[in-house]
Amino acid sequence: MRKKKMLSRLLFLLLLLAGIVFVIPVVLTVIGSFLLERRVTADGYKELFMNCFPFYRMFWNSVLYAVSITAGTILLSVPAAYAFKFAKFPGKSVLYVVYIILMMMPLQVMLLPNYIGLRDLKLLNTPYAIILPLLFSPLAVVILHQYMRECDVQMVEAARLETNSCLRIIWHCIVPQIKVCIFAVALLMFAEMWNLVEQPLLYLNEDKWRNLSLLFSESERYEAQVLLPAAVLFMVPVFLWYLLFHNELKKGLKL
């Protein structure tokens, strides 16, 4: 018993230390956003809102990409995961292994093939160059498929006797059972899409379609005093999204 208590206390201390390490940069960023020339002031925020007009365009482009890609990914991934779980077709196991391999591939491997395809389709320098390639997420499909293994198979079989529509079965039988997992995947996808850097840098040349992440990767183009306030506002949407759905994230990823 003493060993278990000691181990649990040690684990708690390690997690607490790790949490403090991760929180320190956030706290310093927030504090630094109100410091200018060693005095506390909101001039950085005033300069950002009043004079840094590209910030508004970049912020709403980030919202456009994150929301549209997250919603589209969920709409495509739920039927795909359902097919891997309940459908019967040749090569299903091989195709699922391919999905897992694609999920583990680094992003850099896919950038050049995507660039060539988007160039041939004449989609470069448009928002579709960012949105379309990212709608098909192997990670979302794999997570949803794993969670569907706990679904009530008898309910699905009974529904098949009532209707031939897979979409109706998914909506009435599958979605209610995997709702928490859908929210968890949506949170992960939103956070990832909100932080896009490589794709906008490579696929977009026009400033009007660039997202907020590029404000920090091209910081030399902007006033130094607006960068920390912009960084604080950059963190807000993901932070709010997590506060709203953190319970779903914990339950949904308990595979």
Short mmCIF file of all heavy atoms in Angstrom, two decimals, residues 93-130:
data_model
loop_
_atom_site.label_atom_id
_atom_site.label_comp_id
_atom_site.label_asym_id
_atom_site.label_seq_id
_atom_site.Cartn_x
_atom_site.Cartn_y
_atom_site.Cartn_z
N SER A 93 -9.36 -4.83 -45.06
CA SER A 93 -8.27 -4.84 -44.08
C SER A 93 -7.02 -4.17 -44.62
O SER A 93 -6.34 -3.40 -43.91
CB SER A 93 -7.94 -6.28 -43.67
OG SER A 93 -9.06 -6.91 -43.10
N VAL A 94 -6.72 -4.42 -45.90
CA VAL A 94 -5.54 -3.79 -46.52
C VAL A 94 -5.71 -2.29 -46.59
O VAL A 94 -4.78 -1.51 -46.30
CB VAL A 94 -5.30 -4.38 -47.93
CG1 VAL A 94 -4.15 -3.65 -48.62
CG2 VAL A 94 -5.03 -5.87 -47.84
N LEU A 95 -6.91 -1.85 -46.97
CA LEU A 95 -7.18 -0.42 -47.06
C LEU A 95 -7.07 0.25 -45.70
O LEU A 95 -6.55 1.37 -45.59
CB LEU A 95 -8.56 -0.19 -47.66
CG LEU A 95 -8.97 1.26 -47.92
CD1 LEU A 95 -7.99 1.94 -48.88
CD2 LEU A 95 -10.39 1.32 -48.49
N TYR A 96 -7.51 -0.43 -44.66
CA TYR A 96 -7.41 0.15 -43.32
C TYR A 96 -5.95 0.27 -42.88
O TYR A 96 -5.57 1.26 -42.25
CB TYR A 96 -8.19 -0.72 -42.33
CG TYR A 96 -8.29 -0.11 -40.95
CD1 TYR A 96 -9.05 1.03 -40.73
CD2 TYR A 96 -7.61 -0.67 -39.87
CE1 TYR A 96 -9.14 1.60 -39.47
CE2 TYR A 96 -7.69 -0.12 -38.61
CZ TYR A 96 -8.47 1.02 -38.42
OH TYR A 96 -8.55 1.58 -37.16
N VAL A 97 -5.14 -0.71 -43.24
CA VAL A 97 -3.70 -0.62 -42.94
C VAL A 97 -3.08 0.57 -43.68
O VAL A 97 -2.23 1.29 -43.13
CB VAL A 97 -2.99 -1.94 -43.32
CG1 VAL A 97 -1.48 -1.77 -43.23
CG2 VAL A 97 -3.46 -3.08 -42.43
N VAL A 98 -3.52 0.80 -44.92
CA VAL A 98 -3.03 1.96 -45.68
C VAL A 98 -3.39 3.25 -44.95
O VAL A 98 -2.59 4.19 -44.87
CB VAL A 98 -3.62 1.95 -47.10
CG1 VAL A 98 -3.30 3.26 -47.83
CG2 VAL A 98 -3.07 0.77 -47.89
N TYR A 99 -4.62 3.32 -44.41
CA TYR A 99 -5.04 4.50 -43.63
C TYR A 99 -4.11 4.71 -42.45
O TYR A 99 -3.71 5.85 -42.15
CB TYR A 99 -6.47 4.31 -43.16
CG TYR A 99 -7.50 5.04 -43.99
CD1 TYR A 99 -7.86 4.56 -45.24
CD2 TYR A 99 -8.10 6.21 -43.54
CE1 TYR A 99 -8.80 5.22 -46.01
CE2 TYR A 99 -9.04 6.87 -44.31
CZ TYR A 99 -9.39 6.38 -45.54
OH TYR A 99 -10.31 7.03 -46.31
N ILE A 100 -3.76 3.64 -41.76
CA ILE A 100 -2.88 3.76 -40.60
C ILE A 100 -1.49 4.24 -41.02
O ILE A 100 -0.87 5.08 -40.36
CB ILE A 100 -2.80 2.42 -39.85
CG1 ILE A 100 -4.17 2.06 -39.26
CG2 ILE A 100 -1.74 2.47 -38.75
CD1 ILE A 100 -4.22 0.72 -38.59
N ILE A 101 -0.99 3.72 -42.15
CA ILE A 101 0.32 4.15 -42.65
C ILE A 101 0.28 5.63 -43.01
O ILE A 101 1.21 6.39 -42.69
CB ILE A 101 0.72 3.30 -43.87
CG1 ILE A 101 0.96 1.85 -43.44
CG2 ILE A 101 1.96 3.87 -44.54
CD1 ILE A 101 1.19 0.90 -44.60
N LEU A 102 -0.79 6.07 -43.68
CA LEU A 102 -0.93 7.49 -44.03
C LEU A 102 -1.00 8.36 -42.77
O LEU A 102 -0.47 9.47 -42.75
CB LEU A 102 -2.18 7.70 -44.88
CG LEU A 102 -2.12 7.18 -46.32
CD1 LEU A 102 -3.48 7.32 -46.98
CD2 LEU A 102 -1.06 7.91 -47.12
N MET A 103 -1.66 7.85 -41.76
CA MET A 103 -1.77 8.61 -40.51
C MET A 103 -0.40 8.83 -39.87
O MET A 103 -0.14 9.88 -39.27
CB MET A 103 -2.69 7.85 -39.54
CG MET A 103 -2.91 8.55 -38.22
SD MET A 103 -3.93 7.57 -37.09
CE MET A 103 -2.79 6.22 -36.71
N MET A 104 0.49 7.85 -39.98
CA MET A 104 1.80 7.94 -39.35
C MET A 104 2.83 8.68 -40.19
O MET A 104 3.91 9.01 -39.71
CB MET A 104 2.31 6.53 -39.03
CG MET A 104 1.49 5.81 -37.98
SD MET A 104 2.21 4.23 -37.46
CE MET A 104 2.14 3.30 -38.98
N MET A 105 2.51 8.94 -41.46
CA MET A 105 3.45 9.65 -42.32
C MET A 105 3.61 11.11 -41.88
O MET A 105 2.63 11.76 -41.54
CB MET A 105 2.97 9.62 -43.77
CG MET A 105 3.30 8.36 -44.52
SD MET A 105 2.89 8.50 -46.27
CE MET A 105 3.49 6.94 -46.87
N PRO A 106 4.83 11.63 -41.91
CA PRO A 106 5.01 13.06 -41.59
C PRO A 106 4.38 13.93 -42.67
O PRO A 106 4.26 13.54 -43.83
CB PRO A 106 6.54 13.22 -41.56
CG PRO A 106 7.07 12.08 -42.37
CD PRO A 106 6.10 10.95 -42.20
N LEU A 107 3.98 15.12 -42.27
CA LEU A 107 3.31 16.05 -43.17
C LEU A 107 4.16 16.37 -44.39
O LEU A 107 3.66 16.49 -45.51
CB LEU A 107 2.98 17.34 -42.41
CG LEU A 107 2.49 18.52 -43.24
CD1 LEU A 107 1.12 18.21 -43.83
CD2 LEU A 107 2.43 19.77 -42.39
N GLN A 108 5.47 16.49 -44.20
CA GLN A 108 6.36 16.91 -45.28
C GLN A 108 6.34 15.96 -46.47
O GLN A 108 6.59 16.36 -47.61
CB GLN A 108 7.80 17.07 -44.76
CG GLN A 108 8.00 18.22 -43.80
CD GLN A 108 7.45 17.95 -42.41
OE1 GLN A 108 7.13 16.80 -42.08
NE2 GLN A 108 7.37 18.98 -41.59
N VAL A 109 6.03 14.67 -46.20
CA VAL A 109 6.01 13.69 -47.29
C VAL A 109 4.89 14.00 -48.29
O VAL A 109 5.03 13.76 -49.49
CB VAL A 109 5.84 12.27 -46.70
CG1 VAL A 109 5.65 11.24 -47.81
CG2 VAL A 109 7.04 11.91 -45.84
N MET A 110 3.77 14.54 -47.80
CA MET A 110 2.60 14.77 -48.63
C MET A 110 2.56 16.15 -49.27
O MET A 110 1.70 16.41 -50.12
CB MET A 110 1.32 14.57 -47.80
CG MET A 110 1.24 13.23 -47.09
SD MET A 110 1.34 11.84 -48.24
CE MET A 110 -0.14 12.09 -49.22
N LEU A 111 3.44 17.05 -48.88
CA LEU A 111 3.36 18.43 -49.36
C LEU A 111 3.59 18.52 -50.87
O LEU A 111 2.83 19.20 -51.58
CB LEU A 111 4.36 19.31 -48.62
CG LEU A 111 4.01 19.64 -47.17
CD1 LEU A 111 5.13 20.45 -46.53
CD2 LEU A 111 2.70 20.40 -47.09
N LEU A 112 4.62 17.86 -51.38
CA LEU A 112 4.93 17.96 -52.80
C LEU A 112 3.85 17.33 -53.68
O LEU A 112 3.40 17.95 -54.65
CB LEU A 112 6.30 17.35 -53.10
CG LEU A 112 6.76 17.42 -54.57
CD1 LEU A 112 6.79 18.86 -55.05
CD2 LEU A 112 8.11 16.75 -54.74
N PRO A 113 3.39 16.08 -53.38
CA PRO A 113 2.29 15.53 -54.20
C PRO A 113 1.04 16.40 -54.17
O PRO A 113 0.38 16.58 -55.20
CB PRO A 113 2.03 14.16 -53.55
CG PRO A 113 3.30 13.81 -52.87
CD PRO A 113 3.88 15.10 -52.41
N ASN A 114 0.71 16.94 -53.00
CA ASN A 114 -0.46 17.83 -52.92
C ASN A 114 -0.25 19.09 -53.75
O ASN A 114 -1.17 19.56 -54.42
CB ASN A 114 -0.73 18.21 -51.46
CG ASN A 114 -1.39 17.09 -50.69
OD1 ASN A 114 -1.98 16.19 -51.27
ND2 ASN A 114 -1.28 17.14 -49.38
N TYR A 115 0.96 19.64 -53.70
CA TYR A 115 1.25 20.85 -54.46
C TYR A 115 1.10 20.60 -55.96
O TYR A 115 0.49 21.42 -56.68
CB TYR A 115 2.67 21.34 -54.16
CG TYR A 115 3.04 22.62 -54.88
CD1 TYR A 115 2.79 23.85 -54.28
CD2 TYR A 115 3.61 22.60 -56.14
CE1 TYR A 115 3.12 25.03 -54.93
CE2 TYR A 115 3.93 23.77 -56.80
CZ TYR A 115 3.69 24.98 -56.19
OH TYR A 115 4.00 26.15 -56.85
N ILE A 116 1.62 19.48 -56.44
CA ILE A 116 1.52 19.16 -57.87
C ILE A 116 0.05 18.98 -58.27
O ILE A 116 -0.39 19.48 -59.30
CB ILE A 116 2.34 17.90 -58.19
CG1 ILE A 116 3.83 18.18 -57.97
CG2 ILE A 116 2.09 17.44 -59.62
CD1 ILE A 116 4.72 16.95 -58.08
N GLY A 117 -0.70 18.25 -57.44
CA GLY A 117 -2.11 18.05 -57.76
C GLY A 117 -2.90 19.34 -57.76
O GLY A 117 -3.72 19.59 -58.66
N LEU A 118 -2.66 20.20 -56.78
CA LEU A 118 -3.36 21.49 -56.72
C LEU A 118 -2.96 22.40 -57.88
O LEU A 118 -3.79 23.13 -58.42
CB LEU A 118 -3.05 22.18 -55.38
CG LEU A 118 -3.62 21.48 -54.14
CD1 LEU A 118 -3.02 22.08 -52.88
CD2 LEU A 118 -5.14 21.60 -54.10
N ARG A 119 -1.69 22.32 -58.26
CA ARG A 119 -1.23 23.13 -59.41
C ARG A 119 -1.93 22.68 -60.68
O ARG A 119 -2.41 23.51 -61.47
CB ARG A 119 0.28 22.98 -59.56
CG ARG A 119 0.88 23.79 -60.71
CD ARG A 119 2.24 23.25 -61.07
NE ARG A 119 2.17 21.85 -61.53
CZ ARG A 119 3.24 21.07 -61.68
NH1 ARG A 119 4.44 21.52 -61.40
NH2 ARG A 119 3.08 19.81 -62.10
N ASP A 120 -2.02 21.36 -60.90
CA ASP A 120 -2.67 20.86 -62.10
C ASP A 120 -4.17 21.16 -62.12
O ASP A 120 -4.76 21.33 -63.19
CB ASP A 120 -2.45 19.35 -62.23
CG ASP A 120 -0.97 19.00 -62.44
OD1 ASP A 120 -0.21 19.91 -62.84
OD2 ASP A 120 -0.59 17.84 -62.21
N LEU A 121 -4.78 21.22 -60.95
CA LEU A 121 -6.21 21.56 -60.86
C LEU A 121 -6.45 23.07 -60.83
O LEU A 121 -7.61 23.49 -60.74
CB LEU A 121 -6.81 20.92 -59.61
CG LEU A 121 -6.91 19.39 -59.60
CD1 LEU A 121 -7.32 18.89 -58.22
CD2 LEU A 121 -7.90 18.91 -60.66
N LYS A 122 -5.35 23.85 -60.86
CA LYS A 122 -5.43 25.32 -60.83
C LYS A 122 -6.13 25.82 -59.57
O LYS A 122 -6.93 26.76 -59.61
CB LYS A 122 -6.14 25.85 -62.09
CG LYS A 122 -5.48 25.44 -63.40
CD LYS A 122 -6.13 26.10 -64.58
CE LYS A 122 -5.56 25.59 -65.90
NZ LYS A 122 -4.09 25.71 -65.99
N LEU A 123 -5.79 25.20 -58.46
CA LEU A 123 -6.38 25.60 -57.18
C LEU A 123 -5.40 26.33 -56.27
O LEU A 123 -5.78 26.77 -55.18
CB LEU A 123 -6.91 24.36 -56.44
CG LEU A 123 -8.10 23.65 -57.08
CD1 LEU A 123 -8.45 22.40 -56.29
CD2 LEU A 123 -9.30 24.58 -57.16
N LEU A 124 -4.14 26.47 -56.69
CA LEU A 124 -3.19 27.22 -55.89
C LEU A 124 -3.64 28.67 -55.76
O LEU A 124 -4.29 29.22 -56.65
CB LEU A 124 -1.80 27.16 -56.53
CG LEU A 124 -1.11 25.79 -56.51
CD1 LEU A 124 0.22 25.86 -57.26
CD2 LEU A 124 -0.88 25.30 -55.09
N ASN A 125 -3.28 29.28 -54.61
CA ASN A 125 -3.66 30.67 -54.32
C ASN A 125 -5.16 30.85 -54.16
O ASN A 125 -5.70 31.94 -54.40
CB ASN A 125 -3.13 31.63 -55.39
CG ASN A 125 -1.63 31.56 -55.55
OD1 ASN A 125 -0.90 31.46 -54.55
ND2 ASN A 125 -1.15 31.59 -56.78
N THR A 126 -5.84 29.78 -53.78
CA THR A 126 -7.26 29.85 -53.44
C THR A 126 -7.46 29.15 -52.10
O THR A 126 -6.63 28.31 -51.70
CB THR A 126 -8.14 29.16 -54.50
OG1 THR A 126 -7.93 27.74 -54.45
CG2 THR A 126 -7.83 29.68 -55.90
N PRO A 127 -8.55 29.45 -51.38
CA PRO A 127 -8.78 28.75 -50.11
C PRO A 127 -8.98 27.25 -50.28
O PRO A 127 -8.74 26.48 -49.35
CB PRO A 127 -10.04 29.43 -49.56
CG PRO A 127 -10.66 30.14 -50.71
CD PRO A 127 -9.55 30.50 -51.63
N TYR A 128 -9.41 26.81 -51.47
CA TYR A 128 -9.61 25.38 -51.71
C TYR A 128 -8.29 24.61 -51.64
O TYR A 128 -8.28 23.42 -51.36
CB TYR A 128 -10.26 25.16 -53.07
CG TYR A 128 -11.59 25.86 -53.21
CD1 TYR A 128 -11.72 26.98 -54.03
CD2 TYR A 128 -12.70 25.42 -52.50
CE1 TYR A 128 -12.94 27.64 -54.14
CE2 TYR A 128 -13.92 26.06 -52.61
CZ TYR A 128 -14.03 27.18 -53.43
OH TYR A 128 -15.23 27.83 -53.54
N ALA A 129 -7.17 25.29 -51.91
CA ALA A 129 -5.87 24.64 -51.81
C ALA A 129 -5.56 24.21 -50.38
O ALA A 129 -4.83 23.24 -50.15
CB ALA A 129 -4.78 25.58 -52.33
N ILE A 130 -6.12 24.93 -49.41
CA ILE A 130 -5.93 24.57 -48.01
C ILE A 130 -6.99 23.58 -47.55
O ILE A 130 -6.69 22.59 -46.87
CB ILE A 130 -5.98 25.83 -47.13
CG1 ILE A 130 -4.98 26.88 -47.64
CG2 ILE A 130 -5.71 25.48 -45.68
CD1 ILE A 130 -3.54 26.43 -47.60
#
